[in-house]
Amino acid sequence: MKLIRSAILCAALIFAAAIPAANAASYGPAGCGLGSMIFGPSGEMRKIFNNGVLSEILAATTNGTFGSQTFGLTTGTSNCGSKGLFSYDREQEAFAEVAYDEISREMAKGEGEYLTAFATLMGCSADVQDRFATATKAHYGQIFAEGAQPVQVVHSVRGVLRSDAALAKSCSRI
């Protein structure tokens, strides 16, 4: 099963790596990514390097060095548009897939960094993350039912959040 998961993740990364060249035209030769944020038209460094060609070279070098263009296109960040390869649903499912064991362990305890990150991906504001931890701990057996796959865990957590009025109101991505 882990081999299949790894193969799927590798395929997604290869697909995502092929996207930058196809979508780079909307931000000039360097494309979107961290480089466009720093050296692009609205970037602070553009004021210092007032030469368009030099700015584009520095932006492209920054994108290539940090791999931020692929990340930006995949997640819809870094001036790469609001829609990435991953929607909120897909981000939550991908996180649950990668950190399944950690989320399970921390949800059973009712605390932990992975659980906090999972709450953030669910769009829960910081002021309700303790409530998130308490609610998911209380429904741990339901969420991590025997044989539950990561996608099922995400759907179960959403159900728990929707059943709690405060969480349903505060968690914007459920």
Side-chain angles (χ1 to χ4, degrees):
M1 190 62 161
K2 287 193 174 196
L3 181 61
I4 293 171
R5 289 179 192 164
S6 297
I8 291 170
L9 286 174
C10 286
L13 290 174
I14 289 169
F15 176 73
I19 292 174
N23 291 327
S26 65
Y27 287 97
C32 66
L34 180 60
S36 73
M37 295 175 68
I38 298 171
F39 300 103
S42 60
E44 287 298 314
M45 296 305 285
R46 182 71 165 222
K47 296 172 188 169
I48 297 170
F49 299 102
N50 201 13
N51 182 330
V53 174
L54 180 60
S55 294
E56 291 297 329
I57 291 170
L58 291 171
T61 303
T62 302
N63 287 340
T65 302
F66 295 101
S68 64
Q69 198 170 46
T70 302
F71 178 78
L73 288 167
T74 305
T75 60
T77 59
S78 304
N79 287 341
C80 294
S82 60
K83 292 189 174 189
L85 182 62
F86 294 115
S87 64
Y88 294 130
D89 294 347
R90 303 277 309 228
E91 286 176 342
Q92 295 164 358
E93 292 169 7
F95 185 72
E97 178 84 23
V98 172
Y100 184 87
D101 293 335
E102 291 84 359
I103 293 170
S104 174
R105 185 179 59 249
E106 292 182 1
M107 195 175 287
K109 290 188 334 185
E111 64 181 10
E113 293 177 3
Y114 286 92
L115 190 58
T116 300
F118 197 44
T120 301
L121 285 174
M122 291 287 177
C124 299
S125 57
D127 60 324
V128 297
Q129 290 191 356
D130 286 341
R131 189 178 183 107
F132 174 91
T134 301
T136 54
K137 180 180 179 181
H139 292 88
Y140 179 83
Q142 171 192 344
I143 294 167
F144 281 94
E146 186 172 330
Q149 297 297 311
V151 172
Q152 295 164 317
V153 168
V154 170
H155 290 283
S156 294
V157 169
R158 286 184 194 141
V160 168
L161 299 179
R162 287 183 188 121
S163 69
D164 183 306
L167 291 172
K169 184 178 179 182
S170 297
C171 299
S172 61
R173 300 176 189 159
I174 56 173

